[in-house]
Amino acid sequence: MSLDILDQFHDPALCKSVLERLRVTLNGQPLRFMEVCGTHTVAIFRSGLRSILPKEIVHLSGPGCPVCVTHEAEINAFLDLAGKPGVILATFGDLMRVPGSRGRTLKAAQAEGARVAVVYSPPDAIKLAAENPDATVVFLGVGFETTAPGVAASIKMARAQGVANYRVLSFHKLVPPALEALLSDPGTDIDAFIMPGHVSAIIGLAPYLPVATRYGKAAAIAGFEPLDILQALLFLAECKRDGRAEVANLYRRVVRDEGNAKARAMLDEVFITSDALWRGIGPIPGSGLEIAPEYAEFDAKRQFGIEIVDCPPLPGCKCGEVLKGKLAPNLCPLFGTGCTPAKPVGPCMVSTEGSCAAYYKYQVD
């Protein structure tokens, strides 16, 4: 896509026109929407959209930040594994400061002598394994359908290259089951959803249809530019005005309705679905990805006998309520005092895509 075309999605006149249509469509009626993507969270704040949206619109950030939904028990498993002799953990940098249930982090473990390496991609972890044949290199697999295909490809790559000391600890999660868990909660008050563009590029439109058909909510797959988001909100407002529950793909320059067949085939080959724990939500059936038996030799969970047991959240941390759209970040008693980006208590303040971090950075009252 040329820069000229992309610039149109920032055009002030176009944005103003859609914003006015949005005001007219709302006609004073409230609209509580949830975006289910950390990139949308940041885009809405960074662009200034949140400050100019009609007062009838309530913006909620959902469980779309990969780091934020990684459960305390999963972080505990990372920390336990870091303490084992002969193990090198390979991880993306944003996991380093996420606390487990006892407040300890991988950064602290590294400082105490654990072998923890920050990598930029799964192939970097394979290279690390090849360079350290006497150690077992375990890549920490977190995130959604967006990152999971790359991790699946790394497992196939390690097998093809004969890198026998490469392992993956998979705590990947699937977005659609989490949406159904949210909507099944009687305490959840959401009118409509903006769906994640990156995830949608993999899974397409169909997995979101139950949001409309079963729960009667409208949803829009949207891009990340100001005009993308405004157009999605206009669609959602029109659906609410007309009493329609529909799912629309408004990000066609990137997302096909059918998704990415090759990426999905990669997931189906290397992973199987399993139950998974989500921070703040708890166990969600069929919402996780485990390594398939055909690739068992790369499964760190099997090799090290790792079992994940639910555990209570960190005292005072309200990340779970924030992720479910039940609490604004600045209403958490720790926000801005006991929990800051410099000294975070919960992952919603650690991640650059976390809603607590966005509230703090953009000084939302």
Side-chain angles (χ1 to χ4, degrees):
M1 177 175 295
S2 71
L3 288 177
D4 289 342
I5 294 175
L6 192 58
D7 285 344
Q8 294 178 22
F9 288 87
H10 294 259
D11 184 88
L14 285 173
C15 290
K16 184 177 180 181
S17 173
V18 176
L19 185 61
E20 184 55 35
R21 289 175 60 194
L22 177 58
R23 293 184 195 278
V24 171
T25 302
L26 288 169
N27 193 28
Q29 297 301 305
L31 176 69
R32 293 174 62 85
F33 84 95
M34 174 178 279
E35 37 81 3
V36 195
C37 179
T39 308
H40 275 135
T41 303
V42 174
I44 290 170
F45 280 95
R46 184 175 55 212
S47 65
L49 277 181
R50 202 173 189 279
S51 63
I52 64 171
L53 290 175
K55 66 181 184 302
E56 296 89 350
I57 290 183
V58 177
H59 167 211
L60 308 170
S61 291
C65 162
V67 170
C68 301
V69 301
T70 302
H71 198 275
E72 295 94 332
E74 295 171 338
I75 302 298
N76 290 347
F78 297 159
L79 292 165
D80 290 344
L81 196 54
K84 292 185 181 298
V87 170
I88 301 174
L89 297 188
T91 178
F92 295 137
D94 51 4
L95 270 181
M96 293 292 288
R97 297 170 64 233
V98 180
S101 64
R102 297 176 292 276
R104 194 159 171 265
T105 66
L106 286 172
K107 188 71 175 176
Q110 184 187 52
E112 294 164 3
R115 301 173 74 182
V116 183
V118 174
V119 296
Y120 295 98
S121 68
D124 289 343
I126 294 176
K127 181 181 178 183
L128 184 66
E131 293 170 347
N132 293 272
D134 296 331
T136 299
V137 173
V138 180
F139 180 77
L140 305 182
V142 302
F144 304 117
E145 293 93 338
T146 313
T147 54
V151 177
S154 77
I155 290 174
K156 290 173 64 80
M157 185 185 303
R159 176 178 281 181
Q161 294 178 1
V163 183
N165 61 327
Y166 177 67
R167 302 288 184 275
V168 170
L169 182 52
S170 177
F171 291 136
H172 289 289
K173 295 176 172 59
L174 304 173
V175 169
L179 298 178
E180 296 210 39
L182 282 176
L183 290 169
S184 299
D185 184 342
T188 299
D189 184 12
I190 304 168
D191 293 323
F193 291 89
I194 291 182
M195 297 304 188
H198 299 141
V199 167
S200 302
I202 304 298
I203 67 175
L205 187 71
Y208 302 128
L209 293 179
V211 171
T213 59
R214 189 176 305 166
Y215 300 99
K217 308 294 184 181
I221 299 170
F224 304 98
E225 311 305 330
L227 190 58
D228 285 318
I229 296 165
L230 287 171
Q231 287 176 325
L233 289 174
L234 177 59
F235 169 79
L236 298 178
E238 290 172 343
C239 284
K240 186 173 184 184
R241 178 196 63 193
D242 301 337
R244 294 182 285 123
E246 298 179 2
V247 180
N249 179 9
L250 305 182
Y251 197 25
R252 293 188 178 277
R253 65 184 188 274
V254 172
V255 177
R256 297 179 179 180
D257 285 353
E258 66 274 18
N260 186 320
K262 289 184 178 180
R264 290 201 313 277
M266 182 77 71
L267 293 179
D268 291 342
E269 177 184 351
V270 177
F271 293 112
I272 56 174
T273 58
S274 62
D275 299 344
L277 284 174
W278 293 61
R279 188 182 294 250
I281 300 175
I284 301 179
S287 67
L289 292 176
E290 290 189 353
I291 296 174
E294 292 81 0
Y295 291 90
E297 71 267 30
F298 297 100
D299 189 351
K301 189 180 294 185
R302 286 187 176 96
Q303 176 177 338
F304 294 98
I306 295 171
E307 294 185 6
I308 302 302
V309 180
D310 203 350
C311 59
L314 293 166
C317 178
K318 300 296 184 182
C319 267
E321 298 302 294
V322 171
L323 292 169
K324 289 186 283 190
K326 294 184 175 182
L327 183 75
N330 56 344
L331 298 181
C332 173
L334 299 182
F335 180 82
T337 54
C339 183
T340 67
K343 194 174 180 181
V345 173
C348 297
M349 188 66 85
V350 172
S351 174
T352 56
E353 295 188 340
S355 53
C356 292
Y359 265 66
Y360 188 93
K361 180 175 182 179
Y362 296 99
Q363 301 179 356
V364 177
D365 295 324

mmCIF file of all heavy atoms in Angstrom, residues 32 34 60-63 68 72 182 185 187-190 278-282 313 316-333 347-348 355-356:
data_model
loop_
_atom_site.group_PDB
_atom_site.id
_atom_site.type_symbol
_atom_site.label_atom_id
_atom_site.label_comp_id
_atom_site.label_asym_id
_atom_site.label_seq_id
_atom_site.Cartn_x
_atom_site.Cartn_y
_atom_site.Cartn_z
ATOM 1 N N ARG A 32 -21.245 1.318 24.413
ATOM 2 C CA ARG A 32 -20.106 0.767 25.152
ATOM 3 C C ARG A 32 -19.413 -0.255 24.258
ATOM 4 O O ARG A 32 -19.950 -1.336 24.017
ATOM 5 C CB ARG A 32 -20.568 0.093 26.451
ATOM 6 C CG ARG A 32 -21.144 1.061 27.476
ATOM 7 C CD ARG A 32 -21.711 0.313 28.673
ATOM 8 N NE ARG A 32 -20.699 -0.451 29.382
ATOM 9 C CZ ARG A 32 -19.900 0.049 30.331
ATOM 10 N NH1 ARG A 32 -19.997 1.325 30.670
ATOM 11 N NH2 ARG A 32 -19.007 -0.722 30.925
ATOM 12 N N MET A 34 -15.863 -2.475 23.155
ATOM 13 C CA MET A 34 -14.593 -3.038 23.611
ATOM 14 C C MET A 34 -13.724 -3.336 22.413
ATOM 15 O O MET A 34 -14.170 -3.951 21.453
ATOM 16 C CB MET A 34 -14.827 -4.327 24.412
ATOM 17 C CG MET A 34 -13.532 -5.052 24.793
ATOM 18 S SD MET A 34 -13.803 -6.556 25.779
ATOM 19 C CE MET A 34 -14.037 -5.812 27.405
ATOM 20 N N LEU A 60 -13.789 0.525 26.234
ATOM 21 C CA LEU A 60 -13.282 -0.515 27.119
ATOM 22 C C LEU A 60 -12.165 -1.272 26.405
ATOM 23 O O LEU A 60 -12.275 -1.555 25.217
ATOM 24 C CB LEU A 60 -14.394 -1.500 27.497
ATOM 25 C CG LEU A 60 -15.683 -0.900 28.062
ATOM 26 C CD1 LEU A 60 -16.759 -1.973 28.146
ATOM 27 C CD2 LEU A 60 -15.437 -0.276 29.416
ATOM 28 N N SER A 61 -11.103 -1.586 27.133
ATOM 29 C CA SER A 61 -10.020 -2.399 26.578
ATOM 30 C C SER A 61 -10.173 -3.826 27.065
ATOM 31 O O SER A 61 -10.273 -4.066 28.272
ATOM 32 C CB SER A 61 -8.657 -1.848 27.001
ATOM 33 O OG SER A 61 -8.406 -0.599 26.385
ATOM 34 N N GLY A 62 -10.186 -4.779 26.149
ATOM 35 C CA GLY A 62 -10.418 -6.171 26.495
ATOM 36 C C GLY A 62 -9.149 -6.984 26.611
ATOM 37 O O GLY A 62 -8.040 -6.447 26.672
ATOM 38 N N PRO A 63 -9.290 -8.301 26.608
ATOM 39 C CA PRO A 63 -8.156 -9.213 26.806
ATOM 40 C C PRO A 63 -7.376 -9.445 25.516
ATOM 41 O O PRO A 63 -7.233 -10.577 25.053
ATOM 42 C CB PRO A 63 -8.836 -10.496 27.291
ATOM 43 C CG PRO A 63 -10.166 -10.480 26.606
ATOM 44 C CD PRO A 63 -10.575 -9.034 26.547
ATOM 45 N N CYS A 68 -0.575 -9.263 28.927
ATOM 46 C CA CYS A 68 -1.524 -9.026 30.017
ATOM 47 C C CYS A 68 -2.325 -10.263 30.376
ATOM 48 O O CYS A 68 -2.680 -10.465 31.539
ATOM 49 C CB CYS A 68 -2.480 -7.890 29.646
ATOM 50 S SG CYS A 68 -1.653 -6.323 29.283
ATOM 51 N N GLU A 72 -0.709 -15.667 35.991
ATOM 52 C CA GLU A 72 0.326 -15.720 37.021
ATOM 53 C C GLU A 72 0.932 -17.112 37.129
ATOM 54 O O GLU A 72 2.153 -17.251 37.318
ATOM 55 C CB GLU A 72 -0.261 -15.325 38.386
ATOM 56 C CG GLU A 72 -0.739 -13.891 38.484
ATOM 57 C CD GLU A 72 -2.220 -13.731 38.186
ATOM 58 O OE1 GLU A 72 -2.774 -14.554 37.420
ATOM 59 O OE2 GLU A 72 -2.824 -12.787 38.706
ATOM 60 N N LEU A 182 -16.342 -13.887 27.897
ATOM 61 C CA LEU A 182 -16.747 -12.552 28.336
ATOM 62 C C LEU A 182 -18.253 -12.369 28.221
ATOM 63 O O LEU A 182 -18.917 -11.871 29.136
ATOM 64 C CB LEU A 182 -16.037 -11.486 27.497
ATOM 65 C CG LEU A 182 -14.578 -11.170 27.806
ATOM 66 C CD1 LEU A 182 -14.058 -10.158 26.805
ATOM 67 C CD2 LEU A 182 -14.428 -10.628 29.219
ATOM 68 N N ASP A 185 -20.542 -14.000 30.749
ATOM 69 C CA ASP A 185 -20.484 -13.454 32.106
ATOM 70 C C ASP A 185 -21.614 -12.443 32.280
ATOM 71 O O ASP A 185 -21.638 -11.411 31.609
ATOM 72 C CB ASP A 185 -19.129 -12.783 32.328
ATOM 73 C CG ASP A 185 -18.952 -12.264 33.751
ATOM 74 O OD1 ASP A 185 -19.952 -12.111 34.480
ATOM 75 O OD2 ASP A 185 -17.804 -11.989 34.130
ATOM 76 N N GLY A 187 -22.082 -10.283 34.389
ATOM 77 C CA GLY A 187 -21.619 -8.985 34.864
ATOM 78 C C GLY A 187 -20.948 -8.137 33.806
ATOM 79 O O GLY A 187 -20.522 -7.010 34.079
ATOM 80 N N THR A 188 -20.852 -8.660 32.585
ATOM 81 C CA THR A 188 -20.207 -7.933 31.496
ATOM 82 C C THR A 188 -21.219 -7.036 30.790
ATOM 83 O O THR A 188 -22.305 -7.489 30.431
ATOM 84 C CB THR A 188 -19.578 -8.914 30.486
ATOM 85 O OG1 THR A 188 -18.589 -9.699 31.149
ATOM 86 C CG2 THR A 188 -18.922 -8.157 29.340
ATOM 87 N N ASP A 189 -20.861 -5.788 30.598
ATOM 88 C CA ASP A 189 -21.755 -4.821 29.953
ATOM 89 C C ASP A 189 -21.057 -4.248 28.719
ATOM 90 O O ASP A 189 -20.354 -3.244 28.790
ATOM 91 C CB ASP A 189 -22.115 -3.715 30.942
ATOM 92 C CG ASP A 189 -23.117 -2.715 30.370
ATOM 93 O OD1 ASP A 189 -23.708 -3.006 29.308
ATOM 94 O OD2 ASP A 189 -23.308 -1.646 30.976
ATOM 95 N N ILE A 190 -21.224 -4.929 27.595
ATOM 96 C CA ILE A 190 -20.580 -4.539 26.333
ATOM 97 C C ILE A 190 -21.639 -4.522 25.236
ATOM 98 O O ILE A 190 -22.392 -5.484 25.076
ATOM 99 C CB ILE A 190 -19.457 -5.530 25.944
ATOM 100 C CG1 ILE A 190 -18.427 -5.649 27.072
ATOM 101 C CG2 ILE A 190 -18.771 -5.100 24.652
ATOM 102 C CD1 ILE A 190 -17.454 -6.797 26.890
ATOM 103 N N TRP A 278 -6.502 -17.782 31.711
ATOM 104 C CA TRP A 278 -6.363 -16.386 31.309
ATOM 105 C C TRP A 278 -6.327 -15.532 32.568
ATOM 106 O O TRP A 278 -7.175 -15.691 33.457
ATOM 107 C CB TRP A 278 -7.534 -15.942 30.446
ATOM 108 C CG TRP A 278 -7.611 -16.610 29.109
ATOM 109 C CD1 TRP A 278 -7.748 -17.943 28.854
ATOM 110 C CD2 TRP A 278 -7.572 -15.963 27.834
ATOM 111 N NE1 TRP A 278 -7.785 -18.170 27.496
ATOM 112 C CE2 TRP A 278 -7.682 -16.971 26.851
ATOM 113 C CE3 TRP A 278 -7.462 -14.637 27.426
ATOM 114 C CZ2 TRP A 278 -7.690 -16.691 25.487
ATOM 115 C CZ3 TRP A 278 -7.458 -14.350 26.070
ATOM 116 C CH2 TRP A 278 -7.564 -15.364 25.118
ATOM 117 N N ARG A 279 -5.366 -14.648 32.626
ATOM 118 C CA ARG A 279 -5.290 -13.767 33.796
ATOM 119 C C ARG A 279 -6.587 -12.967 33.923
ATOM 120 O O ARG A 279 -7.052 -12.349 32.955
ATOM 121 C CB ARG A 279 -4.097 -12.821 33.680
ATOM 122 C CG ARG A 279 -3.850 -12.010 34.957
ATOM 123 C CD ARG A 279 -2.702 -11.045 34.781
ATOM 124 N NE ARG A 279 -1.429 -11.703 34.587
ATOM 125 C CZ ARG A 279 -0.433 -11.714 35.471
ATOM 126 N NH1 ARG A 279 -0.593 -11.133 36.644
ATOM 127 N NH2 ARG A 279 0.704 -12.316 35.203
ATOM 128 N N GLY A 280 -7.154 -12.986 35.102
ATOM 129 C CA GLY A 280 -8.350 -12.218 35.371
ATOM 130 C C GLY A 280 -9.642 -12.885 34.947
ATOM 131 O O GLY A 280 -10.709 -12.521 35.419
ATOM 132 N N ILE A 281 -9.549 -13.845 34.035
ATOM 133 C CA ILE A 281 -10.750 -14.530 33.552
ATOM 134 C C ILE A 281 -10.819 -15.934 34.111
ATOM 135 O O ILE A 281 -11.887 -16.428 34.466
ATOM 136 C CB ILE A 281 -10.778 -14.555 32.011
ATOM 137 C CG1 ILE A 281 -10.779 -13.121 31.460
ATOM 138 C CG2 ILE A 281 -11.997 -15.317 31.502
ATOM 139 C CD1 ILE A 281 -10.680 -13.041 29.961
ATOM 140 N N GLY A 282 -9.654 -16.581 34.213
ATOM 141 C CA GLY A 282 -9.614 -17.945 34.720
ATOM 142 C C GLY A 282 -9.558 -18.956 33.591
ATOM 143 O O GLY A 282 -9.145 -18.639 32.464
ATOM 144 N N PRO A 313 -4.556 -13.903 42.285
ATOM 145 C CA PRO A 313 -3.836 -12.770 41.699
ATOM 146 C C PRO A 313 -2.982 -12.070 42.746
ATOM 147 O O PRO A 313 -3.124 -12.291 43.954
ATOM 148 C CB PRO A 313 -4.965 -11.860 41.210
ATOM 149 C CG PRO A 313 -6.123 -12.189 42.100
ATOM 150 C CD PRO A 313 -5.997 -13.655 42.387
ATOM 151 N N GLY A 316 -4.135 -6.705 45.565
ATOM 152 C CA GLY A 316 -4.432 -5.334 45.148
ATOM 153 C C GLY A 316 -4.499 -5.120 43.664
ATOM 154 O O GLY A 316 -5.056 -4.115 43.200
ATOM 155 N N CYS A 317 -3.941 -6.035 42.862
ATOM 156 C CA CYS A 317 -3.915 -5.855 41.404
ATOM 157 C C CYS A 317 -5.292 -6.144 40.815
ATOM 158 O O CYS A 317 -5.876 -7.192 41.070
ATOM 159 C CB CYS A 317 -2.863 -6.756 40.773
ATOM 160 S SG CYS A 317 -2.786 -6.646 38.964
ATOM 161 N N LYS A 318 -5.789 -5.227 40.007
ATOM 162 C CA LYS A 318 -7.108 -5.361 39.402
ATOM 163 C C LYS A 318 -7.037 -5.592 37.898
ATOM 164 O O LYS A 318 -7.985 -5.315 37.173
ATOM 165 C CB LYS A 318 -7.941 -4.109 39.680
ATOM 166 C CG LYS A 318 -8.156 -3.813 41.159
ATOM 167 C CD LYS A 318 -8.964 -4.891 41.853
ATOM 168 C CE LYS A 318 -9.253 -4.536 43.306
ATOM 169 N NZ LYS A 318 -9.989 -5.601 44.002
ATOM 170 N N CYS A 319 -5.885 -6.116 37.429
ATOM 171 C CA CYS A 319 -5.729 -6.340 35.989
ATOM 172 C C CYS A 319 -6.867 -7.192 35.430
ATOM 173 O O CYS A 319 -7.338 -6.954 34.315
ATOM 174 C CB CYS A 319 -4.397 -7.029 35.701
ATOM 175 S SG CYS A 319 -3.044 -5.904 35.343
ATOM 176 N N GLY A 320 -7.277 -8.188 36.196
ATOM 177 C CA GLY A 320 -8.338 -9.068 35.707
ATOM 178 C C GLY A 320 -9.624 -8.321 35.434
ATOM 179 O O GLY A 320 -10.271 -8.538 34.395
ATOM 180 N N GLU A 321 -10.017 -7.428 36.336
ATOM 181 C CA GLU A 321 -11.235 -6.651 36.133
ATOM 182 C C GLU A 321 -11.088 -5.686 34.963
ATOM 183 O O GLU A 321 -12.036 -5.429 34.219
ATOM 184 C CB GLU A 321 -11.589 -5.883 37.409
ATOM 185 C CG GLU A 321 -11.886 -6.766 38.608
ATOM 186 C CD GLU A 321 -13.037 -7.726 38.325
ATOM 187 O OE1 GLU A 321 -14.163 -7.254 38.149
ATOM 188 O OE2 GLU A 321 -12.778 -8.950 38.257
ATOM 189 N N VAL A 322 -9.874 -5.151 34.782
ATOM 190 C CA VAL A 322 -9.610 -4.260 33.651
ATOM 191 C C VAL A 322 -9.756 -5.021 32.343
ATOM 192 O O VAL A 322 -10.382 -4.541 31.387
ATOM 193 C CB VAL A 322 -8.203 -3.636 33.773
ATOM 194 C CG1 VAL A 322 -7.824 -2.893 32.491
ATOM 195 C CG2 VAL A 322 -8.135 -2.689 34.968
ATOM 196 N N LEU A 323 -9.207 -6.233 32.276
ATOM 197 C CA LEU A 323 -9.229 -7.023 31.049
ATOM 198 C C LEU A 323 -10.640 -7.462 30.671
ATOM 199 O O LEU A 323 -10.917 -7.740 29.507
ATOM 200 C CB LEU A 323 -8.335 -8.254 31.200
ATOM 201 C CG LEU A 323 -6.829 -7.978 31.296
ATOM 202 C CD1 LEU A 323 -6.084 -9.235 31.714
ATOM 203 C CD2 LEU A 323 -6.288 -7.449 29.978
ATOM 204 N N LYS A 324 -11.530 -7.532 31.643
ATOM 205 C CA LYS A 324 -12.917 -7.908 31.372
ATOM 206 C C LYS A 324 -13.801 -6.692 31.117
ATOM 207 O O LYS A 324 -15.005 -6.832 30.926
ATOM 208 C CB LYS A 324 -13.467 -8.733 32.538
ATOM 209 C CG LYS A 324 -12.860 -10.128 32.628
ATOM 210 C CD LYS A 324 -13.513 -10.975 33.697
ATOM 211 C CE LYS A 324 -13.060 -10.610 35.079
ATOM 212 N NZ LYS A 324 -13.529 -11.591 36.098
ATOM 213 N N GLY A 325 -13.203 -5.500 31.124
ATOM 214 C CA GLY A 325 -13.979 -4.288 30.866
ATOM 215 C C GLY A 325 -14.859 -3.884 32.021
ATOM 216 O O GLY A 325 -15.775 -3.067 31.857
ATOM 217 N N LYS A 326 -14.593 -4.400 33.210
ATOM 218 C CA LYS A 326 -15.424 -4.091 34.371
ATOM 219 C C LYS A 326 -14.878 -2.942 35.203
ATOM 220 O O LYS A 326 -15.569 -2.429 36.081
ATOM 221 C CB LYS A 326 -15.567 -5.339 35.255
ATOM 222 C CG LYS A 326 -16.338 -6.481 34.597
ATOM 223 C CD LYS A 326 -16.520 -7.643 35.556
ATOM 224 C CE LYS A 326 -17.379 -8.728 34.939
ATOM 225 N NZ LYS A 326 -17.620 -9.858 35.872
ATOM 226 N N LEU A 327 -13.631 -2.555 34.950
ATOM 227 C CA LEU A 327 -12.998 -1.506 35.748
ATOM 228 C C LEU A 327 -12.064 -0.685 34.875
ATOM 229 O O LEU A 327 -11.240 -1.241 34.141
ATOM 230 C CB LEU A 327 -12.209 -2.132 36.905
ATOM 231 C CG LEU A 327 -11.535 -1.167 37.879
ATOM 232 C CD1 LEU A 327 -12.585 -0.536 38.793
ATOM 233 C CD2 LEU A 327 -10.475 -1.884 38.713
ATOM 234 N N ALA A 328 -12.186 0.629 34.937
ATOM 235 C CA ALA A 328 -11.233 1.499 34.245
ATOM 236 C C ALA A 328 -9.895 1.443 34.980
ATOM 237 O O ALA A 328 -9.874 1.393 36.224
ATOM 238 C CB ALA A 328 -11.744 2.931 34.211
ATOM 239 N N PRO A 329 -8.777 1.416 34.265
ATOM 240 C CA PRO A 329 -7.475 1.279 34.927
ATOM 241 C C PRO A 329 -7.229 2.294 36.034
ATOM 242 O O PRO A 329 -6.681 1.959 37.080
ATOM 243 C CB PRO A 329 -6.490 1.460 33.765
ATOM 244 C CG PRO A 329 -7.225 0.962 32.574
ATOM 245 C CD PRO A 329 -8.647 1.400 32.789
ATOM 246 N N ASN A 330 -7.647 3.548 35.818
ATOM 247 C CA ASN A 330 -7.362 4.571 36.819
ATOM 248 C C ASN A 330 -8.205 4.439 38.078
ATOM 249 O O ASN A 330 -8.026 5.199 39.028
ATOM 250 C CB ASN A 330 -7.519 5.968 36.224
ATOM 251 C CG ASN A 330 -8.885 6.193 35.612
ATOM 252 O OD1 ASN A 330 -9.629 5.250 35.348
ATOM 253 N ND2 ASN A 330 -9.236 7.443 35.370
ATOM 254 N N LEU A 331 -9.133 3.481 38.094
ATOM 255 C CA LEU A 331 -9.920 3.219 39.303
ATOM 256 C C LEU A 331 -9.334 2.098 40.147
ATOM 257 O O LEU A 331 -9.841 1.809 41.228
ATOM 258 C CB LEU A 331 -11.374 2.899 38.932
ATOM 259 C CG LEU A 331 -12.140 4.017 38.224
ATOM 260 C CD1 LEU A 331 -13.568 3.590 37.942
ATOM 261 C CD2 LEU A 331 -12.112 5.310 39.045
ATOM 262 N N CYS A 332 -8.277 1.473 39.652
ATOM 263 C CA CYS A 332 -7.563 0.481 40.458
ATOM 264 C C CYS A 332 -6.867 1.212 41.602
ATOM 265 O O CYS A 332 -6.230 2.259 41.379
ATOM 266 C CB CYS A 332 -6.536 -0.263 39.606
ATOM 267 S SG CYS A 332 -5.460 -1.370 40.565
ATOM 268 N N PRO A 333 -6.954 0.719 42.828
ATOM 269 C CA PRO A 333 -6.355 1.429 43.960
ATOM 270 C C PRO A 333 -4.835 1.562 43.874
ATOM 271 O O PRO A 333 -4.260 2.437 44.529
ATOM 272 C CB PRO A 333 -6.765 0.581 45.171
ATOM 273 C CG PRO A 333 -7.147 -0.755 44.622
ATOM 274 C CD PRO A 333 -7.692 -0.488 43.257
ATOM 275 N N PRO A 347 0.621 -6.888 34.853
ATOM 276 C CA PRO A 347 1.088 -6.854 33.464
ATOM 277 C C PRO A 347 0.415 -5.779 32.620
ATOM 278 O O PRO A 347 0.955 -5.386 31.600
ATOM 279 C CB PRO A 347 0.752 -8.251 32.953
ATOM 280 C CG PRO A 347 -0.393 -8.689 33.792
ATOM 281 C CD PRO A 347 -0.133 -8.111 35.145
ATOM 282 N N CYS A 348 -0.768 -5.317 33.022
ATOM 283 C CA CYS A 348 -1.425 -4.258 32.246
ATOM 284 C C CYS A 348 -0.643 -2.951 32.322
ATOM 285 O O CYS A 348 -0.852 -2.052 31.511
ATOM 286 C CB CYS A 348 -2.854 -4.030 32.738
ATOM 287 S SG CYS A 348 -3.940 -5.445 32.535
ATOM 288 N N SER A 355 -3.625 -1.537 28.848
ATOM 289 C CA SER A 355 -4.484 -0.368 29.019
ATOM 290 C C SER A 355 -4.046 0.477 30.213
ATOM 291 O O SER A 355 -4.175 1.705 30.189
ATOM 292 C CB SER A 355 -5.946 -0.796 29.164
ATOM 293 O OG SER A 355 -6.094 -1.750 30.182
ATOM 294 N N CYS A 356 -3.524 -0.146 31.272
ATOM 295 C CA CYS A 356 -3.047 0.636 32.406
ATOM 296 C C CYS A 356 -1.869 1.523 31.998
ATOM 297 O O CYS A 356 -1.798 2.698 32.375
ATOM 298 C CB CYS A 356 -2.644 -0.285 33.554
ATOM 299 S SG CYS A 356 -4.034 -1.162 34.317
#
